[in-house]
Amino acid sequence: MTDKKLRATITGVGMYVPDKVLDNKYFESIVETNDEWITSRTGIKERRVLENGATSDLAARAVDDLLKSKNMSAEEIDLIIVSTITPDMFFPSTACVVQRKVGAKNAWGFDLSAACSGFVFGLETAASFIESGKYKKVVLVGADKMSAITDYTDRNTCILFGDAASAVLLEPTEDLSYGLQDSVLYCDGTGEDALHMLGGGSRNPATHETVDEKMHYIYQDGRAVFKVAVVGMADAAVEILERNNLKREDISFLAPHQANMRIINATRDRLGLQNDQVMVNIHKYGNTTAATIPLVVTEYYRAGKVKKGDKLVFAAFGGGYTWGAQYIVWSID
């Protein structure tokens, strides 16, 4: 423990996407849709699918990638948080499975469920552990195998989702000008009816009936979710700028949840940003739920686009409803 003021900062990143690609042509063969319709309404061209394995396999490979990039041993990890809505099973937690698979024998961990806001909720949580002074190395993973809960006969949802994982390492810094500066996070349980998976929990345990009624797949009222997501994500992003006296020209990048290109563009326009200030990879991976923000940040950093001192805004909206935004000053060279 320490009496010094600490701030949590991202000091490493990692990612994993499966090899198998489902492009828009594939969906033309299984549901009534076409490439132009999908692209114009979502911005998605491709998404990845894990054919064999579970969410923990995605997550463990992302953590391994992170450790390799840092030349760091898994035994140095103090805590693993896995943000996911597709856990391997109810228990043990996916974090426990990942802990075993990567060999982080000195770490404890848990799962966090906040749907597409899972990473921003997880980042605030992980930062609190770091800033307490008790933990030095916290790994936060956003990972989802959305193909496991997607009904590939439902054209409203099957075109949207993909499988991926991305991980970040958080460590303490006494230089308060870096790291997670601020968060605004919200939830509203009235969104339950518009975005959910009804089957498998204590309310609707698995039965022949729940399987027959497709209750173990994601359900989304696209129009209802779109209306609130556009407002919620943009409002949170504007709030984080106003709270921190930031102007649009101060922001190096907006890293938005990659759900729909129209929602991303609406958030961009609300903030008055240029296209080159917005991180986008939805065309390659679709909506990977809790993985989208760390995945796009990792890709941009590794492409040399994100520099030390850059001011980033993360913004997300997901089932619950859950939503929020964060202001981060990048600290990796």
Side-chain angles (χ1 to χ4, degrees), residues 89-204:
M89 58 196 98
F90 279 141
F91 64 91
S93 70
T94 302
C96 282
V97 181
V98 172
Q99 183 260 1
R100 170 179 60 81
K101 287 183 175 180
V102 302
K105 67 179 185 180
N106 296 312
W108 64 287
F110 59 90
D111 293 355
L112 186 153
S113 176
C116 296
S117 302
F119 181 77
V120 293
F121 279 30
L123 188 60
E124 175 75 356
T125 305
S128 297
F129 283 107
I130 289 290
E131 290 169 3
S132 75
K134 191 173 182 180
Y135 300 98
K136 303 298 184 186
K137 296 181 187 294
V138 177
V139 170
L140 169 64
V141 189
D144 273 297
K145 185 182 178 182
M146 293 303 293
S147 61
I149 61 169
T150 297
D151 177 3
Y152 284 91
T153 67
D154 177 8
R155 72 170 185 169
N156 295 315
T157 56
C158 71
I159 62 171
L160 300 175
F161 297 101
D163 303 340
S166 187
V168 300
L169 174 67
L170 288 122
E171 295 185 90
T173 179
E174 293 179 17
D175 186 342
L176 304 185
S177 64
Y178 291 108
L180 179 60
Q181 302 292 311
D182 196 15
S183 298
V184 291
L185 304 171
Y186 298 97
C187 71
D188 178 2
T190 63
E192 176 186 342
D193 290 342
L195 185 53
H196 57 240
M197 188 180 78
L198 292 176
S202 59
R203 186 190 301 184
N204 297 296

Side-chain angles (χ1 to χ4, degrees), residues 3-141:
D3 294 328
K4 294 181 180 179
K5 174 70 175 175
L6 300 174
R7 183 147 283 152
T9 188
I10 294 172
T11 59
V13 294
M15 59 176 281
Y16 176 74
V17 295
D19 293 331
K20 184 172 182 179
V21 177
L22 297 185
D23 61 13
N24 289 345
K25 285 288 186 183
Y26 169 79
F27 290 93
E28 291 180 7
S29 69
I30 62 170
V31 292
E32 187 178 341
T33 191
N34 58 66
D35 174 69
E36 189 280 330
W37 191 94
I38 296 171
T39 304
S40 64
R41 285 162 177 78
T42 69
I44 301 169
K45 285 289 190 181
E46 298 178 345
R47 64 292 285 153
R48 303 296 182 97
V49 171
L50 183 67
E51 293 186 277
N52 299 299
T55 295
S56 65
D57 295 299
L58 295 166
R61 289 174 181 177
V63 174
D64 285 340
D65 182 49
L66 163 65
L67 295 172
K68 183 178 179 181
S69 72
K70 292 285 292 181
N71 193 25
M72 172 182 158
S73 167
E75 295 180 8
E76 297 178 52
I77 301 171
D78 298 318
L79 168 62
I80 298 170
I81 302 172
V82 177
S83 292
T84 186
I85 54 165
T86 57
D88 287 22
M89 58 196 98
F90 279 141
F91 64 91
S93 70
T94 302
C96 282
V97 181
V98 172
Q99 183 260 1
R100 170 179 60 81
K101 287 183 175 180
V102 302
K105 67 179 185 180
N106 296 312
W108 64 287
F110 59 90
D111 293 355
L112 186 153
S113 176
C116 296
S117 302
F119 181 77
V120 293
F121 279 30
L123 188 60
E124 175 75 356
T125 305
S128 297
F129 283 107
I130 289 290
E131 290 169 3
S132 75
K134 191 173 182 180
Y135 300 98
K136 303 298 184 186
K137 296 181 187 294
V138 177
V139 170
L140 169 64
V141 189

Side-chain angles (χ1 to χ4, degrees), residues 298-318:
T298 297
E299 286 202 326
Y300 271 62
Y301 168 68
R302 289 182 171 176
K305 297 178 181 179
V306 182
K307 309 291 187 182
K308 186 175 182 178
D310 279 355
K311 296 176 179 179
L312 311 181
V313 172
F314 298 168
F317 189 95

